[in-house]
Amino acid sequence: MATFAKNGMVATSQPLAAQAGLDILKKGGNAIDAAIATAATLTVVEPTSNGIGGDAFVLVWVKGELHGLNASGPAPKSISIDAVKAKGHEEVPTFGLLPVTVPGVPSAWAELSRRFGKLPLTEVLKPAIQYAEEGYPLSPVLAKYWKGAYKKYKEIFTTPEYKSWFDTFAPEGRAPEIGEVWRSEGHANTLRSIAETNAESFYRGELADKIDAFFKEHGGFLSKEDLADYKPEWVQPISVNYRGYDVWEIPPNGQGIVALMALNILNGFDIKEKESVETYHKQIEAMKLAFSDGKKYVTDPEKMSVTAAQLLSEEFAAQRRSLIGEEALTPEPGTPPRGGTVYLAAADSEGNMISYIQSNYMGFGSGIVIPGTGIALQNRGHDFSLDPAHENALEPGKKTYHTIIPGFLTKDGEAVGPFGVMGGYMQPQGHAQVIMNTIDFHLNPQAALDSPRWQWIEGKKIVVEPNFPTHVAQALARRGHQIQVALDGGSFGRGQIIWRDPKTGVLAGGTEARTDGSIASW
């Protein structure tokens, strides 16, 4: 069932974090303050998906206008393809010091608070600090992912740079269990320092010095100069009109454009019913084509050989649409015309709304935790290519292709609301499916999220959820799709939605049944 409220709403993947945001709303904060409080709390109560050392992207609706914030960080200035290869690697490794890029999360909190917040950051981060200091009991899904990470890391994290991960996240020599209380004094102190200095300590103060010292000691590339030079960037959101609604995403280096390209292709089809092989076939084929283009062209926007406008042009959509026939295709990138994450949504009674996502990329991230601080650093640089000819080739100071994407929906210039589905390369696929469930099939927010999902993996391989209609899966297989049925819904993303009725101001929310999802409202 969808949740309805009038005064405020926070939807996210963890009940304690959603409640933290609501508490800030009740103290006089707005939706932006609530989102910051929720995001900071998520670094404590869901460290399996995000951390202080991650990146963030945000879409903010304030006074009738949509703003975009790109708080993703670049590669260190001293890194290069040759430097990585000199350490014996043919690709950027998944874990360790090398895939760590400049973290953007603390800057996102500070910048959102500065521009749009009502309460000081010291007040907004109080719930997160309290949970880190006093501890909280682990929820079931959280404990499952924590234990899985510990088992894996115990086998592969055998060198000294990983010691602090175990000290922080497995202090008893094991992963904490369901219902067991976990706390991190270092995490609390770091959050307090970020709050008191508006994140200056992280980029130009004591925390920056600790990060710098750790990387120097263990032979990494990230330095305090990289941190000091970093600023998050306000960007113009990009959109396509899909059947009368404007669907908004952050522009590249994020992959939100993939969802928009897929919807642009689907715009040209008359989609009539949800549970039909024709509908699913067209959705899958459009997503495959959009993804192959995204993976080829999306990188740091200053380094892209094509523009977002070219990728979103009707001419290019028509060109790609024409490739969709009766049989499954193996996608190849087109030529445009020239010329692991937590997601949260929040809304308040004033009409402010925010779509916010932050991530350490793969679970806990790189496995690197700065000793005594609780700062778990992301492994976002793993997506860089070491092929100099690739659009997303590693370069000093360059931002990589980014998987995390917040979404927003408007109609006729009015906010409908924030939506998102986190989970690596599932995200644009989840965005397109949720938007079609909403617009084409008229499902309420909760039903739109609960609906069975599919996921394109590569080539013709499609994985579907256990509750996906069997007859449709069989019919897709007859069209050449290589269908696999997953054993659970864990890899199909975790979404949140809040829609606002423009006449009454009533909020309708949906949260994710595939995790410990929760909506806090009043």
Side-chain angles (χ1 to χ4, degrees):
M1 299 286 286
T3 301
F4 292 87
K6 182 93 165 109
N7 294 318
M9 186 176 286
V10 182
T12 195
S13 52
Q14 224 286 342
L16 299 177
Q19 190 61 48
L22 185 67
D23 289 346
I24 291 299
L25 282 176
K26 288 185 171 182
K27 285 181 178 175
N30 60 16
I32 293 83
D33 294 317
I36 299 166
T38 303
T41 302
L42 282 165
T43 70
V44 183
V45 302
E46 200 178 315
T48 54
S49 304
N50 76 124
I52 298 169
D55 277 348
F57 290 92
V58 196
L59 289 166
V60 192
W61 180 271
V62 175
K63 294 178 181 171
E65 191 177 345
L66 190 64
H67 308 265
L69 182 65
N70 181 330
S72 68
K77 291 184 177 62
S78 60
I79 205 168
S80 66
I81 289 173
D82 289 343
V84 174
K85 287 187 170 179
K87 288 183 178 283
H89 301 283
E90 287 307 308
E91 60 178 34
V92 180
T94 306
F95 300 111
L97 300 155
L98 297 185
V100 178
T101 50
V102 176
V105 160
S107 75
W109 301 342
E111 185 62 13
L112 286 168
S113 178
R114 180 195 68 78
R115 186 166 179 187
F116 294 121
K118 287 172 73 175
L119 300 178
L121 205 54
T122 46
E123 185 67 29
V124 171
L125 293 196
K126 267 183 185 172
I129 293 167
Q130 189 172 359
Y131 279 124
E133 210 153 48
E134 298 175 9
Y136 65 92
L138 267 69
S139 54
V141 176
L142 173 65
K144 171 189 164 184
Y145 286 115
W146 204 314
K147 182 173 280 189
Y150 174 76
K151 281 182 179 175
K152 180 179 178 181
Y153 294 173
K154 192 172 62 169
E155 300 300 319
I156 61 173
F157 288 176
T158 56
T159 45
E161 68 268 28
Y162 297 111
K163 180 181 182 294
S164 184
W165 187 91
F166 293 98
D167 293 343
T168 304
F169 295 113
E172 305 294 322
R174 56 170 173 79
E177 302 284 346
I178 297 170
E180 187 175 359
V181 173
W182 176 83
R183 59 178 60 82
S184 172
E185 186 70 34
H187 202 123
N189 292 336
T190 293
L191 288 170
R192 194 175 284 110
S193 176
I194 289 169
E196 288 170 354
T197 66
N198 289 311
E200 278 297 300
S201 65
F202 189 93
Y203 294 98
R204 284 162 279 278
E206 53 158 347
L207 296 172
D209 289 339
K210 287 179 180 178
I211 295 168
D212 180 79
F214 186 87
F215 272 74
K216 279 192 170 64
E217 180 186 350
H218 295 284
F221 291 97
L222 189 66
S223 70
K224 60 182 176 184
E225 289 75 26
D226 294 314
L227 294 164
D229 288 346
Y230 179 70
K231 289 272 194 303
E233 184 184 0
W234 289 101
V235 295
Q236 184 60 45
I238 55 175
S239 68
V240 296
N241 188 276
Y242 184 73
R243 309 196 200 284
Y245 289 81
D246 290 308
V247 185
W248 296 88
E249 301 276 358
I250 294 280
N253 54 317
Q255 66 175 347
I257 195 169
V258 171
L260 299 185
M261 286 191 285
L263 290 170
N264 227 14
I265 293 169
L266 289 160
N267 244 336
F269 293 120
D270 186 15
I271 306 263
K272 288 189 169 63
E273 54 182 313
K274 185 178 186 304
E275 300 307 329
S276 88
V277 65
E278 199 58 48
T279 296
Y280 281 111
H281 175 70
K282 287 186 167 71
Q283 285 181 324
I284 290 166
E285 295 299 273
M287 184 54 67
K288 283 155 67 172
L289 291 166
F291 241 124
S292 60
D293 293 325
K295 288 297 287 179
K296 177 172 173 58
Y297 295 113
V298 171
T299 185
D300 190 317
E302 293 183 10
K303 306 286 185 179
M304 281 173 61
S305 63
V306 298
T307 65
Q310 288 169 323
L311 291 170
L312 294 177
S313 69
E314 179 49 43
E315 185 184 345
F316 188 50
Q319 175 194 321
R320 304 302 270 154
R321 192 182 301 126
S322 69
L323 299 175
I324 298 177
E326 292 298 305
E327 294 288 312
L329 56 79
T330 301
E332 295 290 340
T335 305
R338 297 286 165 176
T341 306
V342 290
Y343 173 78
L344 66 96
D348 62 30
S349 58
E350 297 170 21
N352 301 309
M353 305 180 88
I354 181 166
S355 183
Y356 182 107
I357 195 161
Q358 70 186 21
S359 174
N360 270 7
Y361 194 21
M362 297 176 182
F364 281 94
S366 63
I368 300 298
V369 176
I370 305 305
T373 67
I375 298 170
L377 292 162
Q378 64 189 359
N379 59 337
R380 186 58 61 180
H382 174 65
D383 268 354
F384 276 122
S385 171
L386 295 187
D387 174 2
H390 195 286
E391 297 254 347
N392 197 43
L394 174 64
E395 291 178 34
K398 180 179 178 179
K399 293 184 177 184
T400 184
Y401 178 108
H402 226 291
T403 58
I404 64 173
I405 52 173
F408 204 91
L409 194 63
T410 63
K411 191 175 196 304
D412 302 326
E414 295 246 25
V416 178
F419 71 95
V421 179
M422 54 69 66
Y425 294 105
M426 179 64 206
Q427 291 182 60
Q429 308 189 57
H431 279 214
Q433 290 173 60
V434 161
I435 285 297
M436 291 186 74
N437 289 345
T438 300
I439 296 172
D440 290 293
F441 310 126
H442 313 293
L443 299 184
N444 71 45
Q446 192 58 56
L449 289 167
D450 289 345
S451 184
R453 294 180 192 150
W454 52 267
Q455 182 177 181
W456 174 64
I457 305 298
E458 61 184 357
K460 297 180 183 180
K461 182 180 174 184
I462 306 295
V463 181
V464 299
E465 289 198 275
N467 57 340
F468 190 89
T470 303
H471 70 285
V472 176
Q474 290 170 341
L476 288 169
R478 288 193 292 273
R479 291 197 178 199
H481 298 281
Q482 295 163 2
I483 303 293
Q484 292 183 7
V485 181
L487 294 177
D488 62 42
S491 67
F492 290 86
R494 309 180 198 176
Q496 316 293 333
I497 297 174
I498 299 176
W499 300 146
R500 182 178 187 271
D501 185 316
K503 293 188 179 68
T504 64
V506 169
L507 304 167
T511 189
E512 187 57 76
R514 295 167 184 84
T515 183
D516 302 309
S518 178
I519 295 178
S521 58
W522 65 308

